[in-house]
């Protein structure tokens, strides 16, 4: 791209940026890792600066930002934005006026500047999905085509069937809207009967201008030819776009060209108007979407550079981190590791399971950091992919060092407690003194001349045993050891003594004086 065309392209993008709303500007910033805070002027300058910085240094990032701006604004190419044609467009350019900005898988107009409409810029700077077999070329649109509803990665709106139906406000009552369809009345219905990716879908929104997200009344239901359609019409509360349009193709009888199909939409308790329409859409399978995600890469070098940058931050103490190889959605080992370009973490999730989750309920948020993660921002992490390719299937996590190198996390043995030696097994016993109170009394006197209430002089510390025997103590345990003072446990102070009185010898009877001069002593020895 020459400098002249580059400058004109940036000026065209800047004019588009000046017409966007705050919410649209914040979406662009969050998709490409820019700050979303500040007033409208700050958001505009932030996006413009990113365009100028990446124009020559990072063409892939420049193309990705440019693609997002055009998708959100709703344009086909920079040349159309710069110089609107004063004449009637050629037939080859007719489809560009019908929802091309929001055609997620559209191709650029031949002869104009190549512009990816929903593709990814790969590591070589080329655009994946802009042309060739991997591109999704929209079909020619019928006169009823409009830009009322947004496309998503799962479908591309092609043609509206019939008119736009207005659902009046119903504060306390129910209301039904019936739509009749004949295959003979609409030529596009014939394609739905034979072409599997082409479907008839019911759309509903709260505005009659677009593009807008899907939103059904909180209490609503759909019947086709008398059959109830099982579909989550509510989505997340107060979050438009968290549900999908309703596919009614299996319930229609399209092979009978004159058969009148009846679509009945019933709703109640609404405080605002809703607008209902039927569209012919081309659906895209999860395998197709995963293949498109594989077209964009997060290089291994950039991941290592980010890890090293965080480690060199003086305000952060760098330590090793654990990288799980399991997908946080399926709890299985990842096969296609991906993450959003605005995510600051290295942890990835499996692209296939993420797309399956969005097919059930489109939230488009990262399951790890919960930041907005649009389809355009998904990319394969080559660093994590290399780890998965070089580790066994049974491994669930690895350790990443601050320098970006990874290693297998091995189970380190627990430190074993040192068991005491055989000679030390009775060390605690040496610190105890056992006092025995098992003294027998015979005829009121002590046994072996010992007083039962006196403290024994022999203990384990002196080598004695409770039975009076001696015990040899290793000299190695006595010399040079810093032991705590010995604890003396007096076994004579038993709780039983409080309950049973101490047995005392019976007193001797005093027979009386033998004469009137001799008296017994005041104290007698027991």
């Amino acid at each position: 791209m020459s400098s002249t065309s580059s400058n004109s392209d940036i000026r065209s993008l800047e004019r588009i940026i000046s017409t966007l709303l705050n919410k649209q500007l914040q979406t662009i910033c969050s998709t490409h890792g820019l700050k979303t805070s500040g007033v409208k002027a700050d958001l505009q300058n932030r996006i413009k600066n990113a365009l100028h910085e990446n124009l020559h240094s990072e063409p892939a990032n420049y193309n990705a930002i440019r693609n997002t701006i055009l998708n959100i604004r709703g344009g086909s190419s920079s040349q159309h934005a710069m110089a609107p044609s004063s004449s009637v467009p050629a037939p080859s350019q007719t489809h560009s006026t019908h929802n091309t900005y929001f055609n997620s898988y559209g191709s650029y107009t031949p002869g104009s500047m190549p512009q990816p409409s929903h593709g990814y810029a790969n590591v070589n700077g080329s655009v994946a999905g802009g042309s060739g077999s991997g591109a999704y070329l929209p079909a020619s649109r019928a006169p009823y085509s409009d830009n009322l509803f947004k496309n998503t990665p799962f479908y591309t709106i092609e043609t509206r069937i019939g008119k736009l139906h207005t659902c009046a406000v119903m504060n306390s009552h129910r209301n039904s809207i019936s739509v009749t369809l004949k295959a003979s009345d609409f030529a596009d219905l014939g394609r739905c009967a034979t072409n599997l990716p082409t479907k008839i879908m019911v759309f509903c929104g709260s505005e009659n201008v677009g593009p807008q997200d899907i939103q059904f009344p909180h209490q609503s239901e759909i019947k086709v030819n008398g059959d109830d359609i099982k579909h989550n019409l509510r989505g997340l509360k107060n979050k438009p776009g968290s549900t999908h349009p309703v596919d009614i193709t299996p319930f229609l009888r399209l092979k009978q060209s004159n058969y009148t199909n009846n679509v009945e939409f019933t709703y109640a308790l609404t405080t605002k108007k809703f607008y209902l329409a039927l569209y012919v859409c081309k659906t895209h399978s999860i395998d197709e979407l995963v293949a498109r995600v594989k077209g964009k890469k997060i290089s291994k070098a950039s991941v290592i550079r980010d890890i090293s940058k965080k480690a060199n931050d003086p305000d952060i103490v760098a330590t090793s981190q654990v990288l799980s190889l399991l997908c946080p959605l399926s709890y299985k080992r990842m096969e296609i590791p991906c993450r959003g370009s605005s995510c600051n973490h290295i942890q990835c999730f499996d692209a296939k399971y993420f797309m399956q989750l969005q097919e059930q309920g489109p939230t488009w948020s990262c399951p790890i950091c919960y930041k907005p993660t649009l389809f355009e921002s998904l990319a394969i992490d080559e660093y994590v992919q290399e780890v998965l390719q070089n580790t066994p299937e049974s491994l669930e996590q690895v350790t990443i060092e601050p320098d970006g190198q990874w290693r297998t996390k091995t189970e380190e043995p627990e430190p074993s407690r040192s068991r005491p030696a055989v000679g030390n097994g009775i060390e605690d016993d040496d610190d105890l003194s056992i006092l025995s109170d098992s003294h027998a009394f015979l005829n009121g006197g002590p046994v072996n001349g010992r007083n039962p209430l006196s403290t024994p002089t022999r203990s384990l510390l002196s080598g004695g045993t409770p039975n009076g025997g001696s015990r040899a103590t290793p000299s190695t345990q006595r010399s040079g050891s810093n032991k705590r003072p010995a604890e003396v446990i007096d076994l004579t102070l038993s709780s039983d003594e409080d309950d049973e009185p101490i047995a005392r010898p019976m007193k001797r009877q005093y027979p009386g004086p033998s004469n009137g001069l001799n008296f017994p002593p005041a104290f007698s020895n027991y």
Side-chain angles (χ1 to χ4, degrees):
M1 183 183 295
S2 63
S3 60
T4 303
S5 59
S6 300
N7 294 334
S8 62
D9 187 56
I10 288 184
R11 285 196 299 269
S12 173
L13 294 175
E14 290 178 346
R15 285 196 295 270
I16 295 176
I17 292 172
S18 62
T19 63
L20 299 180
L21 302 177
N22 278 7
K23 186 176 181 180
Q24 295 172 318
L25 295 172
Q26 290 175 350
T27 302
I28 298 174
C29 291
S30 63
T31 302
H32 299 283
L34 303 177
K35 293 183 179 180
T36 58
S37 60
V39 297
K40 185 175 183 179
D42 295 336
L43 298 174
Q44 291 174 342
N45 292 333
R46 204 168 291 151
I47 299 173
K48 292 177 183 179
N49 292 336
L51 288 172
H52 287 280
E53 291 174 0
N54 293 283
L55 178 60
H56 299 291
S57 59
E58 296 289 342
N61 294 339
Y62 173 81
N63 287 333
I65 298 174
R66 178 180 184 274
N67 179 36
T68 305
I69 294 173
L70 295 178
N71 282 336
I72 290 180
R73 170 61 179 85
S76 60
S77 68
S78 59
Q79 290 183 356
H80 291 152
M82 288 185 295
S85 175
S86 58
S87 60
V88 179
S92 61
Q93 299 176 348
T94 302
H95 74 279
S96 65
T97 61
H98 300 290
N99 201 19
T100 306
Y101 280 157
F102 295 90
N103 184 355
S104 301
Y105 300 96
S107 61
Y108 58 86
T109 303
S112 65
M113 182 180 299
Q115 171 237 327
S117 83
H118 209 289
Y120 286 106
N122 58 26
V123 293
N124 296 324
S126 60
V127 177
S131 61
S133 59
Y136 300 94
L137 301 178
S140 300
R141 293 182 176 271
Y144 286 113
S145 300
D146 55 26
N147 292 331
L148 187 58
F149 295 98
K150 295 180 181 178
N151 285 315
T152 73
F154 294 100
Y155 58 84
T156 303
I157 298 175
E158 295 183 350
T159 304
R160 193 177 80 194
I161 302 297
K163 65 178 182 178
L164 183 67
H165 303 272
T166 303
C167 304
V169 177
M170 288 291 159
N171 293 319
S172 57
H173 301 283
R174 295 167 60 91
N175 189 27
S176 297
I177 294 178
S178 295
V179 182
T180 58
L181 295 175
K182 285 186 178 181
S184 58
D185 294 340
F186 302 94
D188 291 313
L189 293 180
R191 295 191 294 115
C192 300
T194 57
N195 191 1
L196 293 179
T198 307
K199 308 289 184 180
I200 298 290
M201 292 187 173
V202 179
F203 286 71
C204 187
S206 59
E207 302 290 341
N208 58 356
V209 294
Q212 63 179 320
D213 292 312
I214 303 294
Q215 184 181 12
F216 287 90
H218 190 64
Q219 295 188 14
S220 58
E221 61 181 15
I222 298 177
K223 290 185 177 181
V224 178
N225 295 328
D227 296 330
D228 291 330
I229 306 299
K230 304 298 183 182
H231 188 86
N232 179 20
L233 299 178
R234 294 185 177 183
L236 299 179
K237 187 176 181 180
N238 298 326
K239 190 172 182 181
S242 57
T243 186
H244 290 294
V246 184
D247 179 14
I248 62 174
T249 309
F251 302 90
L252 296 174
R253 301 177 184 177
L254 301 177
K255 293 184 178 180
Q256 303 176 16
S257 59
N258 293 325
Y259 184 85
T260 302
N261 296 277
N262 183 48
V263 180
E264 184 179 3
F265 177 70
T266 305
Y267 66 98
L269 304 179
T270 58
T271 57
K272 59 183 178 180
K273 291 182 179 181
F274 284 87
Y275 299 90
L276 187 77
L278 275 64
Y279 289 89
V280 175
C281 302
K282 182 178 181 180
T283 58
H284 308 288
S285 65
I286 291 179
D287 292 337
E288 294 179 39
L289 300 180
V290 171
R292 294 182 64 83
V293 173
K294 292 180 179 180
K296 188 176 181 181
K297 308 286 186 179
I298 300 177
S299 64
K300 174 184 175 181
S302 64
V303 176
I304 296 178
R305 183 169 59 251
D306 292 341
I307 296 175
S308 302
K309 182 178 179 180
K310 294 179 181 179
N312 295 329
D313 191 341
D315 297 333
I316 300 177
V317 178
T319 58
S320 60
Q321 56 180 318
V322 176
L323 172 65
S324 175
L325 303 182
L326 302 181
C327 175
L329 301 175
S330 64
Y331 296 101
K332 297 180 180 179
R333 185 180 168 93
M334 292 182 290
E335 297 180 0
I336 312 171
C338 75
R339 57 186 172 94
S341 59
S342 61
C343 297
N344 296 324
H345 50 78
I346 190 176
Q347 182 64 51
C348 295
F349 47 87
D350 195 287
K352 183 177 181 179
Y353 289 105
F354 181 76
M355 298 310 299
Q356 290 179 355
L357 180 65
Q358 301 309 311
E359 187 180 35
Q360 297 175 3
T363 58
W364 298 109
S365 60
C366 175
I368 300 170
C369 65
Y370 305 105
K371 288 184 178 180
T373 307
L374 301 180
F375 181 75
E376 294 85 355
S377 66
L378 295 178
I380 303 298
D381 192 315
E382 291 184 335
Y383 181 89
V384 180
Q385 190 176 36
E386 181 186 89
V387 175
L388 291 170
Q389 293 173 351
N390 293 277
T391 52
E393 293 290 335
S394 59
L395 189 66
E396 296 184 354
Q397 61 185 17
V398 296
T399 301
I400 300 177
E401 300 297 339
D403 59 355
Q405 301 299 319
W406 63 272
R407 59 179 175 83
T408 302
K409 182 177 177 60
T410 57
E411 295 293 337
E412 298 180 358
E414 296 184 0
S416 59
R417 294 184 179 180
S418 58
R419 300 179 60 87
V422 177
N424 296 335
I426 58 174
E427 182 176 351
D428 293 339
D429 296 339
D430 293 345
D431 296 340
L432 302 178
S433 296
I434 300 178
L435 305 181
S436 176
D437 61 347
S438 59
H439 304 291
F441 294 90
L442 182 60
N443 296 327
V447 179
N448 297 330
R450 295 176 59 189
N451 192 333
L453 300 181
S454 62
T455 303
T457 59
R458 304 192 65 173
S459 67
L460 293 179
L461 291 177
S462 60
T465 63
N467 296 327
S470 62
R471 183 181 62 187
T473 305
S475 59
T476 56
Q477 301 179 18
R478 304 300 179 189
S479 60
S481 61
N482 297 326
K483 291 184 177 181
R484 56 184 173 83
E487 297 183 24
V488 178
I489 300 177
D490 191 352
L491 299 182
T492 62
L493 301 179
S494 173
S495 60
D496 296 337
E497 298 176 358
D498 297 336
D499 300 331
E500 300 179 3
I502 301 176
R504 298 180 180 275
M506 297 178 60
K507 294 183 179 181
R508 291 180 296 177
Q509 297 287 338
Y510 176 57
S514 59
N515 51 49
L517 299 177
N518 294 328
F519 295 93
F523 300 96
S524 299
N525 293 328
Y526 295 125

